[in-house]
Amino acid sequence: MTTSHPGSLLTAHDLRKAYGPTHALDGAEFSIHSGEVVAIMGPSGSGKSTLLHCLAGIVPPDSGSITYDGRELTKMSDAQRSALRRSEFGFVFQFGQLVPELTCVENVALPLRLNGASRKDAERTALGWMERLEVDDLKAKRPGEVSGGQGQRVAVARALVTGPRLLFADEPTGALDSLNGERVMELLTDAARSTNAAVVLVTHEARVAAYSDREIVVRDGKSRDVERAI
Amino acid sequence: MNTRQWARDLAVGARFAVTGGREGWVRMTLTAVGVGLGVALLLLCTALPNVFAARHKVEDARYDYTYSDKVPPKADDTFLIAATDTVWHDVDVRGRLVEPEGKRAPLPPGVDSFPGKGEMVVSPALKELLASDGAKLLRERLPYKITGTIGESGLIGSHELAYYAGASGLKLTDSSPVHRLTGYGKPDATPEKTDPVLLLMVLVVFVVLLTPVAVFIAAAVRFGGERRDRRLAALRLVGSDSHMTRRIAAGEALAGALLGLVIGSGFFLLGRQTLGSTELLGVSVWPSYLDPSPGLAALVAVAIPIAAVLVTLLAMRGVVVEPLGVVRAAKQRRRRLWWRLLPPLAGLTMLYPMIGKGHENGDFNQYLVIGGVLLLLIGITALLPWVVEAVVVRLGKGALSWQLAVRRLQLSSGTAARMVNGIAVAVAGAIALQMLFTGTQSQYTKATGKDPGRVQMQVDFSDRKPLSGVEREFTGTKGVRAAVALAISEYGDARRNPENSNGLTVGGCTALRELATLPSCKDGDVFVTRTRSHYTSSSNADEIAVLKPGRKLYIDPSYDDATERGIEAPWTVPANVRVVDAREDSLQDANSLLVTPAALPAKAVPALFSDGVYLRLDPSVPDSREHIRNVVARIDPLARAYSWSATEEDVKYTSIRTGLLVGSAFVLALIGASLLVSQLEQLRERRKLLSALVAFGTRRRTLSLSVLWQTALPVGLGLVLATTVGITLGSVLLKMTRTPVAMDWASVLTMTGVGAAVVGVVTLLSLPPLLRMMRPEGLRTE
């Protein structure tokens, strides 16, 4: 059972989702405030990624409600959810999922261009974010030519470039060594906090979860808050 | 590096292919099916020369015609035979009336026993047709009882419509189409010399059809290649060096190619049976005709595995497989143009010595033709990657979908070019051949001088038929608007062995008006035309001088050297004979003397031969031609009824053209299938990325458009290159045949349009899977 705070940016209640006979979510609860970093933890196959996908409106739940900024996500059309993801959400995935044929700066500028920004403006803004994430020297390189840590920082820049109110990060350091992972988490959380963006962070590493303000554990499709010792 | 090492690495690769789990099997099956389709088509193509030879052999074996003046006497081993060919809804029906004159009369090929009077033996296809509901009119035309079927040895294809009907009392006269023979078969089986231009066409058709198949096979051995490359990284981790890795990859492709050979042989056998039971563009064959020549089949069996290994090794040059599962495209070098220009230039060099040869100056060197055309077409596959790279590197700005597509092409222009290679080669070849066909068409198509707008059908009777009443037989027939009948005979200035003799044409006023401009006409009038007809402008002054009023002449005079005696009917040129002008558009190359029936003495009537009944049809009446043929068969089974057409094409020329059409349809379908597989494979590779792009809000339309651009750009460039090479090759071929080079833009546009349409269809077919792959569920890993 998670605690629902009044004034939450995103709240989910009694979420259920099954893939065939497997119940990925079985009454999960979730809430997050602006500027908050919440880590979703749990073993492999526990349903944490499914919870993130449902919260982000990527996958519709079978039942339950998700309220974002007073709007019911489950009642929105696919086009409306896509528009929301484009304008108010940001995403970082485990392997970055950068478009291999685009240069790094073009990758970062991609969400802005999807929102209709001109190429020039989009790339100027993108370069600003790349500087903040210390990867501006990679602007002309393609993802295949940069290291995993660098690529993931480019992916973080791409997630933040639209100034999202909510950032979803699914195992953002899963493919990185500890040093690179820590650097990416520092940059990600610092940048998010500086813009008052909330971060939903899926991870199975306690070291990564330590960057969050609050932790939720998902097990067998159910979620519960974790009390922290310190 | 030694051979054993090579063999060991290839064997390891082959083992990986079969033990690679589900994914490995899927990849190998995909390669094998692709290679198999190519192999089947190659085997079918190599069997084609045998098809023509086998059909030709049967045609020769059942030949039942003689041009000899010497008629053998009736004997125990002679038979009478007459052609009664007909047409059923534009399909030829080969028919014969046959009458054995003795017990030892030889049977026609494929026939077990002579049909009796009122009976017939038929081909299986005709039997089936006659039994069908829609063949009522044909059953009326062939009112014989079916007593047997004609075997394979008597038919040129499984779908040939043919019959032998039993007859009695066939008359062997000078004018009838009945022949007395002692056997079947062409007496002078010396092969006729093939027109060098037609031979050139056959060679080019073969190369044009087979080159895209070879290109397709090269693409097929790389199906699933990207996925395989990633897996090979694991081998590097356990100590395999980069050369070994490449050889192992080649071994995997080799396994697919070998399985492809087996599957291809299966496809071929299946196709052989299927083709044996179907008909394409009016051509059917027997499965036994489709036997590939052993040498070519052996070449296919050896060349394909070798090609699989070489293509994979070449492809792997651009890939750096590193340990730790990291695979990066090797630093791409800019493609160089100079060596890519060598194949087409070498091709042109090979063809150059044959320029200006034409029909008269001997045969074209087959090896130079094949080599030259092949190099020119293969040149496209060498040039296209350079062209795509050179163009896309200059592209950039534009909508997001455009940018995604252009960047993708910049990153892997080789993959895009490979996808289009097959289509480009096929289109280039088709354009060149179309130019050759169009350019030489006039040499193989002759104007008949007949105007199908005026007369749609003509009936020629087999023997003397009384003129009166013939028209009436047709005017009552369904779908006949008008019928005019003409008859001919001969007149001379003496009863026997006349010094001056000429032909005369007899017909009613309506009929004669179709031949000459008559100021007025009534039955009993006689006319002489100033010129014979529009066919010849020579003056008729000599004949006009003979045909003076009161001059006594003899119709059907006798000759001492003729087998039959003439009627010798005396006739005096009447006083009302008038000189008129032949019509420019006369129905036929008529005689100068035109006579209405009442102007002839009754004694002359048996001397008249029917010279055709000309029919004008009502196009709104269905089956009018079939009704007419039925009337003709009833009046005179040996008569010929045929439709008028303005032009007539050389049969060989037409069959080469038909062969090209059939082959092109197969090749394009094959290339379309290969394109679809490559497209789907690329999409599958990008499934996760597509899902991620959709996750952060990318519109599906943007991604669909980017896929469309990604295909359209290389296809557009490929077609431009194909058009250039096609026109170059077409021009060279026309110059070789000494035909003026003229551009047939309609054909060029049609061919490029067909190529573009294939790609369009493939893109459309790949859209549903693309949309499915864009679902966010693709992000799931568990």
Side-chain angles (χ1 to χ4, degrees), chain B residues 23-229:
Chain B
E23 195 188 297
W25 272 104
V26 168
R27 191 179 56 248
M28 193 170 77
T29 310
L30 211 60
T31 304
V33 170
V35 171
L37 284 170
V39 166
L41 204 61
L42 279 177
L43 290 176
L44 282 175
C45 281
T46 54
L48 277 182
N50 194 40
V51 168
F52 291 116
R55 281 171 72 99
H56 200 65
K57 211 169 142 189
V58 172
E59 273 176 345
D60 278 356
R62 68 183 188 183
Y63 190 82
D64 50 18
Y65 195 85
T66 177
Y67 290 101
S68 169
D69 289 338
K70 287 178 191 163
V71 179
K74 182 178 174 180
D76 204 26
D77 63 347
T78 59
F79 61 94
L80 298 174
I81 193 159
T84 52
D85 296 343
T86 185
V87 172
W88 172 252
H89 291 301
D90 293 333
V91 179
D92 291 330
V93 181
R94 182 180 192 268
R96 296 289 184 272
L97 286 183
V98 62
E99 182 183 338
E101 292 183 303
K103 282 182 184 163
R104 291 196 300 121
L107 285 162
V111 176
D112 293 333
S113 62
F114 279 109
K117 194 186 177 199
E119 295 174 345
M120 65 176 169
V121 289
V122 295
S123 66
L126 182 58
K127 190 175 185 180
E128 199 180 316
L129 175 65
L130 286 169
S132 66
D133 291 338
K136 185 171 168 280
L137 287 173
L138 188 61
R139 282 196 294 273
E140 282 174 18
R141 196 179 313 165
L142 306 176
Y144 313 106
K145 186 184 163 203
I146 298 173
T147 55
T149 46
I150 306 171
E152 193 179 317
S153 58
L155 299 169
I156 54 167
S158 57
H159 276 59
E160 188 186 17
L161 302 174
Y163 70 92
Y164 287 96
S168 70
L170 286 177
K171 278 184 196 147
L172 192 67
T173 63
D174 283 349
S175 54
S176 81
V178 179
H179 300 278
R180 174 175 285 141
L181 301 172
T182 53
Y184 300 88
K186 218 169 190 175
D188 51 341
T190 48
E192 54 182 303
K193 191 180 177 311
T194 313
D195 178 345
V197 173
L198 286 180
L199 192 68
L200 173 73
M201 281 180 190
V202 173
L203 291 174
V204 178
V205 165
F206 263 81
V207 179
V208 162
L209 289 181
L210 291 183
T211 314
V213 177
V215 172
F216 164 79
I217 289 176
V221 294
R222 295 187 63 179
F223 284 160
E226 287 179 35
R227 212 164 249 250
R228 177 200 56 206
D229 297 347

